[in-house]
Amino acid sequence: MTSNEDSITSDDESSTDPADAFGALSDPLRVDILRALGDYHHETEFEKTIGFADLRRRVGTEDPGRFRYHLTQLRGNFVEKVNDGYRLTFAGAKIVAAILMGTYTHSITKDPTELDSDCFVCDDPAVATYENGNCVVSCANDHPLFSWQVPPTAAADATLPEIVDVAGLLARQGMERTLDGYCPECYHSIESEVTTEPTESPVFRAQCESCGARLIGPVGYCLLVDPRVAAFYRRHGRNLHEYYIWDLPFIQDEDRYTLIEETPARLEIDVSVADETLTAVVDETGHVVDYRPAR
């Protein structure tokens, strides 16, 4: 007589159609299994596995046959068997995190709120909104100032100014990962570029070929995570990260950009604090390649 766990077939290591993979999550019991595995990993170490019987007790299913069937549907994509126990796969851990964050289930909307900031186009107050995971800052004249996605868990009990602060942090982290060559969403390799169309201001662009995530903004975004620029601000007793991103002069003021080469693109960006200016030289990929001494 074989045990319940031994009677489950081996994991399928081949790729699975996305519709089939997510179809495996259609039953509430399977979601409960993933949650239970997630809770177990939080209580112990991720590398540790849990046995069939212990996992069934955590989920609270009395019928071992029914439990075995639904666990089988999760095997391969979201759950793997290692030696005598079970644990989440990378995809399974991401699904559990998305469930806990409310990514697929929570819809949160915040009333528009004025920020302690003005639109750099028309000087009207900057207004923040949050809906369906999107934090957007604009003004009454609909001039776009900033936008980034923030998980519902970070927004549920936060004020809109606090949500904007989280969005700014995530934007800086996303910019840093992008310049390091990794997609901020899926960590696939990503390439960035600076476009300098004659009729437009220089723009920083990057799009992931794997998940489709995009990052588009003023070229000054490249300086948000530059250590020399951060040190320049600190030398004047200021913290670069305490500013709203759109309030930074090297983000909003196109007159601080000087195109010095068209192909490949290369431009200078003036960063001024008090009466001193540091000039950063940015190449066609958005990386700072040189500095002009502060003046």
Side-chain angles (χ1 to χ4, degrees):
M1 180 176 178
T2 59
S3 63
N4 289 327
E5 59 267 37
D6 288 339
S7 63
I8 298 177
T9 57
S10 62
D11 295 333
D12 181 4
E13 296 182 357
S14 61
S15 60
T16 304
D17 183 89
D20 293 335
F22 284 100
L25 304 176
S26 61
D27 191 284
L29 177 55
R30 299 172 196 172
V31 176
D32 289 342
I33 292 172
L34 294 179
R35 280 180 175 271
L37 282 168
D39 290 342
Y40 179 76
H41 291 328
H42 289 156
E43 296 169 8
T44 59
E45 299 176 6
F46 187 82
E47 292 77 11
K48 289 188 175 181
T49 61
I50 182 172
F52 179 91
D54 288 340
L55 179 58
R56 181 167 65 86
R57 279 193 292 269
R58 278 179 171 263
V59 176
T61 304
E62 296 184 1
D63 184 347
R66 177 169 176 261
F67 183 79
R68 179 173 65 250
Y69 169 76
H70 288 290
L71 180 58
T72 303
Q73 304 309 306
L74 295 170
R75 288 278 296 277
N77 291 309
F78 305 114
V79 176
E80 62 180 345
K81 185 180 180 184
V82 181
N83 298 325
D84 58 349
Y86 299 89
R87 68 184 181 190
L88 294 171
T89 63
F90 177 82
K94 288 296 185 181
I95 287 293
V96 171
I99 292 172
L100 295 176
M101 288 192 301
T103 302
Y104 304 128
T105 56
H106 293 178
S107 179
I108 297 175
T109 300
K110 301 282 186 177
D111 292 332
T113 301
E114 285 191 6
L115 303 174
D116 185 18
S117 172
D118 294 328
C119 172
F120 59 80
V121 179
C122 65
D123 291 330
D124 275 4
V127 178
T129 61
Y130 180 82
E131 185 175 3
N132 297 327
N134 295 309
C135 177
V136 178
V137 180
S138 59
C139 67
N141 294 314
D142 292 329
H143 294 131
L145 302 177
F146 173 73
S147 65
W148 203 266
Q149 293 184 330
V150 176
T153 46
D157 299 320
T159 65
L160 252 172
E162 291 171 338
I163 294 173
V164 172
D165 288 342
V166 173
L169 172 63
L170 295 176
R172 287 179 169 91
Q173 292 175 343
M175 193 70 200
E176 185 172 23
R177 290 173 187 162
T178 299
L179 289 173
D180 283 342
Y182 298 98
C183 171
E185 293 295 327
C186 73
Y187 297 93
H188 189 272
S189 59
I190 192 172
E191 294 183 357
S192 56
E193 65 172 345
V194 172
T195 60
T196 55
E197 296 295 332
T199 58
E200 299 178 0
S201 300
V203 174
F204 177 87
R205 298 177 183 271
Q207 181 163 352
C208 177
E209 296 181 357
S210 178
C211 72
R214 293 189 302 171
L215 198 161
I216 302 174
V219 179
Y221 270 36
C222 306
L223 306 186
L224 290 173
V225 294
D226 185 80
R228 180 76 175 265
V229 173
F232 183 61
Y233 268 74
R234 284 196 302 272
R235 186 154 59 83
H236 289 277
R238 304 181 187 184
N239 186 342
L240 179 62
H241 293 172
E242 289 182 352
Y243 291 83
Y244 287 130
I245 288 176
W246 63 89
D247 277 343
L248 291 164
F250 60 82
I251 296 289
Q252 62 177 241
D253 189 356
E254 298 174 1
D255 291 338
R256 294 177 181 270
Y257 300 171
T258 301
L259 185 65
I260 55 178
E261 291 183 23
E262 291 188 3
T263 307
R266 183 174 292 239
L267 64 153
E268 295 178 339
I269 303 177
D270 288 339
V271 180
S272 299
V273 182
D275 295 327
E276 194 172 6
T277 299
L278 173 71
T279 300
V281 181
V282 177
D283 70 8
E284 74 277 9
T285 66
H287 291 83
V288 178
V289 293
D290 196 8
Y291 302 92
R292 304 282 188 260
R295 61 184 187 277

